[in-house]
Amino acid sequence: MDASQEPKVTYKRVLLKISGEALMGDQGYGLHPPTVNRIAAEVKSVHDLGVEICMVIGGGNIFRGLQGSAQGMERTTADYMGMLATVMNALAMQAALEALGIHTRVISAIPMDQVCEPYIRRRAVRHLEKKRVCIFAAGTGNPYFTTDTAATLRANEMSCEAIFKGTKVDGVYDKDPVKHADAKRYDKVSYDEVLQKHLGVMDASAIALARDNHLPIIVFSLDEPGGFRGILSGDGTYTLVGG
């Protein structure tokens, strides 16, 4: 396909946010390599369009800080354990992307120089300019903040044009579409509606940070083959939050 035939992309720099659970496939825990490879192939298909991509991956498939603290563990310790889980997921995704020939950097908010780079904003921006995929790990580096908030923070710092939130469903619904056949999908919804109606797109801190910086959030199904690329090419089913 020559340049004149390539689809015109909606955004030039985006952040893809996925949950840790998205990497475990049908398993109840941990990493499912075929699922990691499938998501990496989706990322490559968008990278091949010339889009600059950064990623934030949750850690809930390995350890979730809130659940740990609910079981009596001290909250800050539980949250730090959750941050380390995100580093493991980021390294797995890096391995899958590099197997596909995509230069990738794992950048951690908690310094661990033997396995990944420390977070330095200007260096991360330069990686993106060189068309490397940047995977931001360890959240914000602080307890009490979710990876949703970390994703919104990094997207703003990297001057991303949108956050793509990959989920199990093809957008934002007024109630759980798995449990309710009459659930209504929104094509577009405001930040304030998400907060007022508790629509569960991201936590309130992340939504407020996106709203204050006019950063659109695109919620789509990560299980839909080609969905990520399709939306960037102006097609596909999704919900636009803000924008």
Side-chain angles (χ1 to χ4, degrees), residues 39-81:
I39 294 172
E42 293 280 328
V43 173
K44 181 183 186 298
S45 73
V46 171
H47 185 271
D48 288 346
L49 294 174
V51 177
E52 296 171 4
I53 305 168
C54 39
M55 298 178 69
V56 170
I57 307 172
N61 57 319
I62 299 171
F63 189 87
R64 186 178 290 280
L66 270 175
Q67 289 176 356
S69 65
Q71 293 172 19
M73 186 177 291
E74 196 261 330
R75 173 66 188 271
T76 55
T77 299
D79 279 355
Y80 281 125
M81 291 173 68

Side-chain angles (χ1 to χ4, degrees), residues 183-214:
K184 171 193 161 192
R185 189 179 66 80
Y186 296 93
D187 285 326
K188 184 173 181 179
V189 63
S190 71
Y191 303 111
D192 289 334
E193 267 188 287
V194 169
L195 292 171
Q196 290 162 7
K197 296 179 180 179
H198 305 287
L199 294 177
V201 177
M202 288 178 156
D203 66 74
S205 298
I207 295 294
L209 185 58
R211 178 192 62 197
D212 294 348
N213 292 279
H214 311 290

Side-chain angles (χ1 to χ4, degrees), residues 112-130:
M112 47 186 83
D113 296 345
Q114 285 83 354
V115 293
C116 51
E117 292 185 9
Y119 177 69
I120 299 169
R121 190 186 72 84
R122 285 179 178 271
R123 182 188 289 177
V125 169
R126 187 70 181 128
H127 286 320
L128 290 175
E129 290 170 350
K130 290 182 176 180

Side-chain angles (χ1 to χ4, degrees), residues 165 167 169-175 177 183-190 193-194 197-202 217-221 237-241:
K165 174 78 184 275
T167 68
V169 292
D170 60 355
V172 179
Y173 287 78
D174 58 352
K175 49 192 168 186
K184 171 193 161 192
R185 189 179 66 80
Y186 296 93
D187 285 326
K188 184 173 181 179
V189 63
S190 71
E193 267 188 287
V194 169
K197 296 179 180 179
H198 305 287
L199 294 177
V201 177
M202 288 178 156
I217 302 167
I218 292 166
V219 182
F220 72 106
S221 172
T237 304
Y238 59 91
T239 297
L240 175 63
V241 180

